[in-house]
Amino acid sequence: MDSYAKGATAPALIEQTIGDCFDAVAARQPEALALVSRHEGVRLTYGQLQADANRLASALLRSGLVPGDRIGIWSHNNSAWLLMQLATAKAGLVLVNINPAYRTAELEYALNKVGCRAIVAMARFKTSDYLGMLRELDGQLPQLERSYWIDVAGQGADEPGMTRFSELLASGDVADPRVAEVQRGLKNTDPINIQFTSGTTGFPKGATLTHRNILNNGFFIGECMQLTPADRLCIPVPLYHCFGMVLGNLACLTHGSAIVYPNDGFDPLTVLQAVQDERCTGLHGVPTMFIAELDHPRFAEFDLSSLRTGIMAGSPCPIEVMKRVVEQMHLSEITIAYGMTETSPVSCQSSTDTPLAKRVSTVGQVQPHLEVKVVDPASGAMVPRGQSGELCTRGYSVMHGYWGDVEKTREAIDTEGWMHTGDLATMDDEGYVNIVGRIKDMVIRGGENIYPREIEEFLYRHPQVQDVQVVGLPDARYGEELCAWIIPKPGQALTEEAVHDFCKGKIAHYKVPRYIRFVAEFPMTVTGKIQKFRIREAMSEELSLRPDRTA
């Protein structure tokens, strides 16, 4: 049997815009809790959130922006972010998510690439001075006309040349007839969001997504989690990424659930506190976040018994971590989601009743109204079930395209509409998909294909290993050799010899990492994706490795 699966066709796709769908939910339950932003002390009902979103949409249109214009959001998690997500959708503006880790060169590239006319930014966060960086680029952003900074109304000094977000919001009219008029004229196939994909080489590409893309993806993600208006979802993952914005915000808003932001940036203690105090029923996170929560010295102090579901995604989910999350955090119905920004993002997900064995070893089955297949990367032909190849996705979730880059779009989406993910996967007889690595991460040692994920899962079983990443390094004799970066559990003294002894007789000799390093952290993106290429770069430099020489 070929590695191909097609999702269910019910329930039907939502053929509304984000604004219309949200208004319908708000009309059904105006008094229900919609948002808790704990670090800001903000609590809004669906009716209040709708009023603020309409007021902001009015303000943006009154500022001179017109449907189709691009406006950037450069901020960690807060209520202004959610308001921008809803207001821009109502006003037909394209929200451009700017990574809070970006610095001046990356910011300049992103804003100019898509032609942002305005930007809403945090003032500062830890060592990042966002307004300072914007001022530094004065004169280098020819299309940027207005900059707004997220303030606490009536507090703090003014920022010369920039407008307070609270003033922008106050300039709008909650009953502005133009908002309803613009909203009526929008199509659900209109681009509404641009997210920059962090490529390991070259400049980031602006994945352009429509109402139809992300609204439906958020809805079906919530369906997998069985969300209802009784649920409260704790969202510590960044909103600038699909994980927070779609798997978090839109999953909640399409089901009338409450959104809970524990903090602006990730902090395990505030997550645990928020879950306990708000009686959250759901919790999202990447594996490194769940590890930080589980291993926090005060973990046992918190009552997490209200938890039921959530999503672990963003990078491969270690089986041992998944087991701990289910057993120690009460997340008996946690699901695994897999996808990429270009597919809005989720194409496969486990459900709340997926058997635990499948939940900890796969990324679930294809989502409704989507198709997935596994193909031979060289020939493009479908491979038999159980054989690895490149995972491809087709359906409503596939992006509109890369902004202003027809050539890159054609490289990613073939003539039959399949998005080529670059991920290596297998599909079993029941249609469960397992991600075994990235095509570019596969290590070929002496003719043997090795998937780093397999070695990582094995090393996670070591009782003193907290986290591990495996990469391939150049080797003159074998072509490539394995290298493992290991974060030991707190207070544990782990040695290279102990790791090698653990491997002996349990995995093939060629799968035992030649190089082992103990580190405190991994290089990663803001969303928790491990940057393996940086590990390779650091080790190659340390060992003076080149493809034609060895250490």
Side-chain angles (χ1 to χ4, degrees), residues 445-446 448 450 454-455 477-478 480-482 500 503-515:
R445 181 193 183 277
E448 297 279 3
I450 305 171
E454 179 191 350
I455 317 303
R477 184 177 177 188
Y478 292 106
E480 287 183 286
E481 279 280 16
L482 292 176
H500 281 134
C503 297
K504 277 178 191 170
K506 294 178 187 163
I507 56 174
H509 70 91
Y510 64 85
K511 294 180 181 178
V512 178
R514 176 177 176 186
Y515 306 104

Side-chain angles (χ1 to χ4, degrees), residues 25-72:
V25 175
R28 284 199 301 272
Q29 50 176 68
E31 301 304 316
L33 184 66
L35 172 68
V36 178
S37 183
R38 286 176 58 87
H39 57 292
E40 297 176 287
V42 170
R43 301 181 82 86
L44 297 174
T45 64
Y46 268 86
Q48 292 168 330
L49 181 60
Q50 182 187 37
D52 280 352
N54 285 337
R55 184 178 287 109
L56 181 55
S58 166
L60 292 169
L61 291 170
R62 288 180 174 187
S63 76
L65 295 172
V66 297
D69 278 347
R70 277 76 65 204
I71 179 168

Side-chain angles (χ1 to χ4, degrees), residues 226-247:
Q226 297 187 357
L227 290 182
T228 72
D231 282 301
R232 294 184 172 196
L233 179 62
C234 183
I235 306 174
V237 293
L239 296 178
Y240 94 86
H241 186 266
C242 270
F243 201 166
M245 177 184 167
V246 181
L247 286 75

